[in-house]
Amino acid sequence: MAIPQNWRLQNQRYRLTGEVCNTCGAKLFPPRDVCPECAKPAYEPFQFAGKGEVYSFTVLSEALAGYEAYEPYPVALVKLQEGPLVTAQLTDVDPQDVHIGMPVEMVTRKLTEEGEDGLIVYGYKFRPVLKPAVNG
Amino acid sequence: MRDVSIIGIGQTEVGEHWGKSLRHLAGDAVLAAMRDAGVERADALYVGNMLSGELNGQEHLGALIADFVGLRGIEAVKVEAACGSGAAAVRMGYLAVASGLLDVVIVVGVEKMTDQKGPVTTASLAMAADAEYEVVNGVSFVSLNALLMQRYMHEYGVRHEDFAGFPINAHKNAATNPYAMFRKPISLETFKRARMVAAPINLMDSSPVADGAAAVVLAPSDVARKFQPLSVRIIGSANATDALAVHDRRDPLFLSAAALSAQKAYRQAGIGPNDVDFFELHDAFSITAALSLEAAGFAERGRGVYLAKDGEITLGGRIPICTFGGLKARGHPVGATGVYQVVEAVLQLRHQAGPNQVKNARIGMTQNIGGSGATVITHILAAEG
Ligand SMILES: [Zn+2]
C-alpha cells in the first residue's frame, strides 16, 4: 500500500478507533460511515478497548510476500468484547498454544516493510492476556 | 425480457501454457465457441478476468481480445469480480441479450497466471480480500479460508480428513476430462500426507494456480435452434454480494451471498435444490465446497462435509459436483473459472460429457464465488426440448 494509504489509517492501526451507530448502538470496526445493522449513518467515533478472544485462527506455513520474517505465523479472527471481529496476527505466543476461545489483547507492533525505501508499517497485533499478578 | 440460450462453447486445456499469451488463450476459446455456434459476427464481447493488470501488465482486455479474434469494432469490455469474474461476465451477457438490446453476445473468461513467480501470484490473489484490514496483517487468500475451516471443524466437531471426499471426487472426475490440469486420481493417504499451507488447509484442500480460457456464445432462445440444435437455456441467473472481509460478515460460516444468489436463481427458474441434477460449485478449497452445498440448500448447516464422506457428490450420487474435476483438479485460472463451469454444464446437458456424463441430466446449476464469499453468481441451465 502507498504511504498516504497507510498514514490515513493511523487511528485504526494504533488505537483501534471505530464508530458507534447512534441509531441502534452497534459498535463498528473498521469505521464505515453507514451502519451495516440498520443502514443509518454512523459517524460517531468509538474507542475499542482492544480486548477479546480468538474466534478462529490459522498458522501460515507459506508467508505472504513481505511477511517472510515471521514464518510460520499465526493469524486470527479476534472477537472483540464490544462485538466486532478483527483480522490480526497473534504475537508473543507459540503457534502450537493458540486455541479458539483464548483471551487476547491488542498491542502495537511492526507489520511489514514496504517499497524500496523500506517504509515500516506499524499496526495492531494481539497477544495472549497476561495472567494478573496475585496481590499481597 | 427474452429467454436466453447458450449456442456455442469453447475451452482451452487448463494448465501451464508457457507458449501462449493471454490474448492467444482467450482467442482459442472464443474462436472455438464461435465455430461451435456457427456464428461469424457478434454484437458484443464480455471478458471475465481478474489479474491481467497485476500479472500480465495488461488491462483494457475488451478491445484487445475483440480485435485479436477478428471482431474489431464491436462493443467489448472487461468484467471483474475477483475469482467470480467469469460468471459475472456471463451474467452481463445474459442481461444484454435478455434486455433485447443485443442479439449475439460472446463471453470469454481468461486468466494467465504462470508468467509470474509464486509469491507475486499469491500477493495478487490476496487483492480479492480487504487490502487495508485483512491483507496488511499478512493474510493470504488461503489463510482466510483456513480461518473458516478451523472454525467449521471446531463448531461442528468435524475432523480434517472428513473433507477428503471433495478432492478425491474432483481428481477422479478430472482423470477423464481432456481439458483438466490434474488427470490423476488421488487417495485418502495422498490427502492426509499433503504439505500444510495454512493449517488446517493443506495442498490437497487447495485448487491450483493455472492458465486457461473458456467461452460461450449467447443468443435469444427463439432463434437459438437456427444456430445450434443442442442449445441450452439459461433459466436462472443471479448475482449477490456480501461484505468483502470475512470479519465484516454477520456469520462467517454462512455464505449469505451464495444463499441469496441461489435463492434468486431458483425463484427465477421456478425450481428448488431437489430439481437440480448436478452442481458445478466453487471448490477453491474443500471448505468452500462444504459451505456452498449448505448455502445452496443441499445440506443443513454443518452437514455439507458429510455429502463428500457419504459419496453423494459422485457422478452417480444424489447431487454430483465438480463433474469435470472442479477448481481443485480441472484447475482454477481465476477469472476463467466461472465460464469453465458453464461450458461443463452445457456439455452435461447436451449429453456430450463422455465418461463424465451424469445420467439423464436435464437441469444443471453453476455457482462461482468471488473472494472469500463477497460476490456469488449462480446460473441454472436446462436442456432444450
Ligand atoms: Zn445501526
Side-chain angles (χ1 to χ4, degrees), chain A residues 21 24 35 38:
Chain A
C21 171
C24 77
C35 174
C38 70

Side-chain angles (χ1 to χ4, degrees), chain A residues 20-26 28 34-42:
Chain A
V20 58
C21 171
N22 282 330
T23 307
C24 77
L28 310 175
V34 177
C35 174
E37 301 300 326
C38 70
K40 295 288 191 305

Side-chain angles (χ1 to χ4, degrees), chain B residues 159 161-166 169 293 299 303-314 316-319:
Chain B
R159 297 168 305 163
E161 70 173 81
D162 293 336
F163 289 88
F166 290 115
N169 173 66
L293 285 165
R303 305 296 301 172
V305 65
Y306 294 105
L307 297 191
K309 239 187 131 203
D310 302 340
E312 302 201 58
I313 57 166
T314 59
R318 178 166 70 86
I319 181 66

Side-chain angles (χ1 to χ4, degrees), chain A residues 1 5-6 8-9 12-13 29-32 36-37 54-65 67-68 73 75-77 84-89 100-101 111-112 114 121 124, chain B residues 119-120 122-123 126 130-141 143-144 146-151 154-155 195-201 203 243 246-253:
Chain A
M1 284 196 287
Q5 202 178 356
N6 282 308
R8 272 194 298 272
L9 293 168
Q12 284 68 49
R13 293 265 179 78
F29 189 87
R32 51 195 300 145
E37 301 300 326
V54 172
Y55 170 87
S56 191
F57 68 97
T58 179
V59 180
L60 280 85
S61 317
E62 293 179 10
L64 202 62
Y67 299 80
E68 295 88 345
Y73 54 92
V75 162
L77 283 168
L85 285 172
V86 177
T87 305
Q89 273 185 46
I100 289 175
L111 295 178
T112 186
E114 288 190 346
V121 180
Y124 48 80
Chain B
V120 176
T122 302
D130 187 326
E132 296 183 346
Y133 291 99
E134 290 184 313
V135 184
V136 74
N137 299 300
V139 172
S140 62
F141 191 60
S143 62
L144 285 173
L147 292 169
L148 297 181
M149 192 172 190
Q150 186 85 271
R151 183 71 197 186
H154 171 82
E155 211 152 288
R195 176 164 56 84
M196 200 55 81
V197 183
I201 289 185
L203 202 59
V246 172
H247 57 234
D248 281 330
R249 307 232 174 102
R250 196 151 282 158
D251 177 353
L253 289 187

